[in-house]
Amino acid sequence: MDELRELYQEIILDHNKNPKNFGELPDANHSSEGYNPLCGDRIKVFLKVKDGLVEDIKFTGSGCAISRASASVMTTLVKGKTVQEAEELFKRFHDLVTQSPQAEVNLEELDKLAVFAGVREFPSRIKCASLAWHTLIAALKEKQEPISTE
Amino acid sequence: MGIQNTLEGSNTEIPEIGALDVDKIKQDFPILQRKVYGKPLVFLDNAASTQKPLQVIETIQQYYTAENANIHRGVYYLSELATQKYEHSREIVRRFLNARSLKEIVFTYGTTDGINLVAHAFGRKFIKEGDEIIISEMEHHSNIVPWQILCEETGARLRVIPMNDNGELDLDQFRNLINSRTKLVAVVYVSNSLGTVNPIKEIIQSAHEHDIPVLVDGAQAVSHYRIDVQELGCDFFVFSGHKIFGPTGVGVLYAREEILETMNPFRGGGDMIKSVTFERTIYNDLPYRFEAGTPNIAGVIGLGTALEYVENIGYEWIGAHETEVLQYGMNVLSEIKQIRFIGTAQKKAGVISFVVDGVHPHDIGTFLDREGVAIRTGHHCTQPVMDHFNVPATSRASIAMYNKKEDFDALVRGLHKIIKVFS
């Protein structure tokens, strides 16, 4: 059960229950939809980017605790950062969840991302943790018209 | 046939089981003795694939150890032996399905392959623009997508029998869908995501009143019910070996001889021909016409042993035992107040699908895995069913004849732990 506790840390369970920045963003100018055909999880990421800065970010969708918590933590980290910083965070996250479970974790550098280190022990769940981040990168690349609430 | 008695080489002995005991059956399945993460394996994912008894494993080992050669061609001892064993399996399948003739038994690579064979060889010949194919809302993707592809190619139209919120097909709606353009009905016997047992005989009769052929997807049915294709009256029946304690990569298409005779060839290649010149090819007789290329010989022979194994235990015992275990499972699970069942048909077999308030199926699957309990979580290749019930995924426990009531006790213990963590 130790590895399970490592995966389902309190922080992850909290974010799952009460996700931050959950909902639509009416004045978003970037958005993308992510889909995991393996489990049917769907997520939408909405961004308001101005002068290379992520001014606001929100997400909607359904998914497991890992994917919801990952999306929630991601929004708190990316909000207020530059696009370049967001991309660097993605890379750091990606490296973390795809490295060997035995690899040393630099807690200081990873900061809030470190809670996802437990995912490395569960290969079938890496996609759950990564879905939101991949959707974020797709949204940053795909500039779209503002999402209308009409 | 008499092939069996003239066969040389060891035919794995299948012991007569008198007073049947589930523990005795379990002993035949070596994998069920193993542990996972230090816990005894509780295997409740039989709708995805069943485990294999030692008899099947030994048959395959025996084939590769002492009998391996290509079939239907060699004039030497081993090739004749392999051919005899392969064709003997065809006789076992014929008897198992109670088909009239060996010509009606085509070996495939599985249920999906069988449906695709029919979609190509029957569909491309007989289904034209404006024609209609009827399937149901609870089909596996493998009984949806081949027909969609056919419809795209031909301009035919797919019609869908709806189901109610218990997961039962609406037969009145089905009869309303039938019209002069209907060219085929393709329906699942037992739903893999809901466990619903469809009134397949009634469906076949209604279709036949209008001379419409019927394909039955029997993938989930064969390990629970005795199949008699003559009694059912179906025109096509498909199933997979690995869902009835046989190997993966092998399956069966039963098709009525009169229909099979009129169909286009499917794959072209060796073994499906009588003679080939660059000007003209003469196709082989049934059923070989539909078995191009070297087949999964070991798989076919292993499937024969698996079917004999099931016949030896008998569907009477299997039915009685599984009904008891399934009922017990429903009872103990329904005591968990956070559970909602998906699929509550009057007549169910093998499958219990459910969702738990506040816990995603994937999290349930990961937790249970560490308890040694293997269940399936996801959409089970039936996304339209998930859409109907407005859930992204479910947790599914599915049983076979070797499951016991205590397997559900282990499942329930695991679920209580998860619910506690997530509450």
Side-chain angles (χ1 to χ4, degrees):
Chain A
M1 285 300 270
D2 281 351
E3 283 156 0
L4 269 185
R5 252 182 244 129
E6 191 63 30
L7 180 65
Y8 292 100
Q9 297 187 28
E10 279 305 319
I11 301 173
I12 288 182
L13 292 171
D14 284 348
H15 275 277
N16 174 49
K17 233 194 247 174
N18 303 302
K20 305 276 190 292
N21 302 307
F22 189 79
E24 295 197 355
L25 194 60
D27 54 347
N29 56 1
H30 288 253
S31 78
S32 187
E33 189 169 7
Y35 180 56
N36 184 349
L38 203 73
C39 54
D41 285 358
R42 279 173 198 281
I43 184 178
K44 255 186 171 174
V45 173
F46 304 90
L47 294 167
K48 194 179 159 193
V49 183
K50 206 178 162 191
D51 303 329
L53 197 76
V54 180
E55 285 191 343
D56 205 356
I57 175 169
K58 283 197 166 196
F59 79 101
T60 61
S62 69
C64 64
I66 307 300
S67 81
R68 261 166 85 93
S70 179
S72 174
V73 170
M74 178 187 84
T75 58
T76 61
L77 288 174
V78 168
K79 202 169 176 173
K81 298 277 190 344
T82 66
V83 170
Q84 199 189 335
E85 283 168 332
E87 285 168 353
E88 277 162 15
L89 278 165
F90 164 74
K91 193 181 173 303
R92 222 175 285 165
F93 178 83
H94 188 258
D95 289 348
L96 169 71
V97 293
T98 54
Q99 70 187 181
S100 146
Q102 282 77 41
E104 286 252 346
V105 176
N106 186 338
L107 289 175
E108 210 170 312
E109 188 189 292
L110 283 165
D111 191 25
K112 282 182 181 174
L113 289 177
V115 294
F116 294 99
V119 174
R120 299 174 302 172
E121 289 281 357
F122 296 81
S124 63
R125 307 304 300 276
I126 292 169
K127 278 188 179 166
C128 309
S130 311
L131 183 63
W133 285 95
H134 284 292
T135 312
L136 166 74
I137 295 302
L140 283 171
K141 284 186 181 143
E142 288 275 317
K143 190 173 160 61
Q144 284 180 359
E145 293 303 308
I147 304 290
S148 166
T149 50
E150 299 291 299
Chain B
M1 283 298 286
I3 293 175
Q4 189 174 19
N5 301 333
T6 61
L7 269 187
E8 205 190 303
S10 82
N11 244 348
T12 311
E13 281 295 308
I14 298 169
E16 283 293 330
I17 304 173
L20 268 166
D21 176 17
V22 64
D23 286 322
K24 236 186 231 170
I25 293 173
K26 263 186 105 163
Q27 276 168 19
D28 284 337
F29 292 79
I31 205 168
L32 297 176
Q33 328 299 327
R34 72 158 290 171
K35 289 187 169 180
V36 174
Y37 301 112
K39 308 265 172 69
L41 172 65
V42 174
F43 190 74
L44 286 170
D45 192 20
N46 295 285
S49 197
T50 54
Q51 300 302 345
K52 323 301 171 200
L54 206 52
Q55 288 85 341
V56 169
I57 297 166
E58 282 173 353
T59 296
I60 293 166
Q61 191 180 11
Q62 167 72 13
Y63 171 74
Y64 281 126
T65 310
E67 300 158 356
N68 176 58
N70 211 334
I71 53 167
H72 294 152
R73 276 183 283 274
V75 293
Y76 53 92
Y77 176 81
L78 281 183
S79 177
E80 281 173 2
L81 180 61
T83 304
Q84 278 184 343
K85 292 232 164 182
Y86 182 87
E87 290 304 324
H88 177 57
S89 262
R90 200 188 304 275
E91 169 55 18
I92 295 172
V93 173
R94 188 207 62 75
R95 189 185 66 213
F96 178 80
L97 295 175
N98 193 30
R100 271 175 227 90
S101 159
L102 288 168
K103 291 180 187 171
E104 301 180 317
I105 307 300
V106 176
F107 287 116
T108 65
Y109 299 107
T111 302
T112 299
D113 187 45
I115 295 171
N116 276 279
L117 193 162
V118 176
H120 280 256
F122 174 85
R124 280 185 177 165
K125 181 146 184 195
F126 295 109
I127 295 173
K128 312 270 184 249
E129 188 176 355
D131 287 345
E132 296 183 356
I133 301 162
I134 298 180
I135 61 170
S136 88
E137 199 181 348
M138 66 174 79
E139 298 308 316
H140 188 281
H141 294 166
S142 63
N143 201 25
I144 301 174
V145 183
W147 308 118
Q148 274 175 336
I149 294 172
L150 180 67
C151 287
E152 265 172 40
E153 280 177 12
T154 59
R157 191 171 166 214
L158 204 59
R159 308 298 302 268
V160 182
I161 311 168
M163 64 180 174
N164 63 23
D165 291 343
N166 290 327
E168 294 163 320
L169 293 183
D170 185 334
L171 290 199
D172 289 334
Q173 293 267 22
F174 165 56
R175 291 188 191 98
N176 288 337
L177 284 174
I178 295 177
N179 61 55
S180 59
R181 296 180 300 274
T182 312
K183 289 288 149 51
L184 182 75
V185 175
V187 186
V188 69
Y189 194 162
V190 176
S191 154
N192 75 306
S193 53
L194 300 166
T196 308
V197 181
N198 286 317
I200 204 74
K201 231 176 140 174
E202 220 181 313
I203 290 172
I204 293 165
Q205 276 167 2
S206 296
H208 281 184
E209 281 167 20
H210 302 266
D211 294 323
I212 301 160
V214 179
L215 177 142
V216 176
D217 170 1
Q220 294 298 328
V222 284
S223 66
H224 307 300
Y225 285 114
R226 174 176 298 289
I227 304 298
D228 183 330
V229 288
Q230 292 190 61
E231 199 204 325
L232 286 177
C234 56
D235 303 275
F236 304 99
F237 187 96
V238 285
F239 71 94
S240 299
H242 74 101
K243 286 189 161 63
I244 182 161
F245 317 110
T248 54
V250 61
V252 171
L253 161 69
Y254 156 84
R256 277 199 306 114
E257 189 180 340
E258 302 84 72
I259 290 195
L260 211 50
E261 198 64 73
T262 63
M263 282 159 54
N264 281 342
F266 178 36
R267 296 188 186 94
D271 232 24
M272 58 81 75
I273 48 87
K274 266 185 178 158
S275 77
V276 176
T277 65
F278 287 115
E279 286 72 39
R280 184 160 177 258
T281 291
I282 300 169
Y283 300 127
N284 206 343
D285 297 328
L286 297 179
Y288 312 108
R289 198 184 300 165
F290 295 100
E291 294 180 2
T294 299
N296 181 355
I297 304 168
V300 165
I301 296 172
L303 171 61
T305 305
L307 297 185
E308 283 185 324
Y309 183 87
V310 172
E311 282 178 331
N312 193 55
I313 285 167
Y315 282 97
E316 219 166 280
W317 184 86
I318 293 173
H321 171 70
E322 287 187 357
T323 304
E324 207 179 306
V325 173
L326 197 71
Q327 192 54 54
Y328 180 82
M330 290 291 278
N331 288 347
V332 288
L333 285 169
S334 61
E335 281 167 22
I336 303 176
K337 64 177 192 300
Q338 292 89 341
I339 274 191
R340 175 163 70 99
F341 292 110
I342 304 293
T344 47
Q346 286 271 319
K347 208 170 171 207
K348 269 180 72 128
V351 168
I352 302 178
S353 242
F354 59 90
V355 289
V356 177
D357 271 354
V359 195
H360 190 278
H362 251 190
D363 299 314
I364 292 174
T366 294
F367 257 83
L368 290 175
D369 178 42
R370 296 286 155 148
E371 297 288 315
V373 180
I375 63 156
R376 187 70 153 211
T377 57
H379 53 60
H380 320 296
C381 290
T382 56
Q383 285 181 350
V385 172
M386 301 298 113
D387 292 343
H388 179 104
F389 290 99
N390 201 20
V391 293
T394 75
S395 299
R396 179 188 72 184
S398 55
I399 62 164
M401 58 185 173
Y402 41 62
N403 284 109
K404 299 170 75 173
K405 289 178 183 173
E406 62 200 50
D407 295 341
F408 279 100
D409 293 335
L411 172 64
V412 167
R413 275 197 304 275
L415 287 173
H416 278 303
K417 278 191 191 172
I418 302 156
I419 290 167
K420 205 173 153 199
V421 169
F422 274 77
S423 63

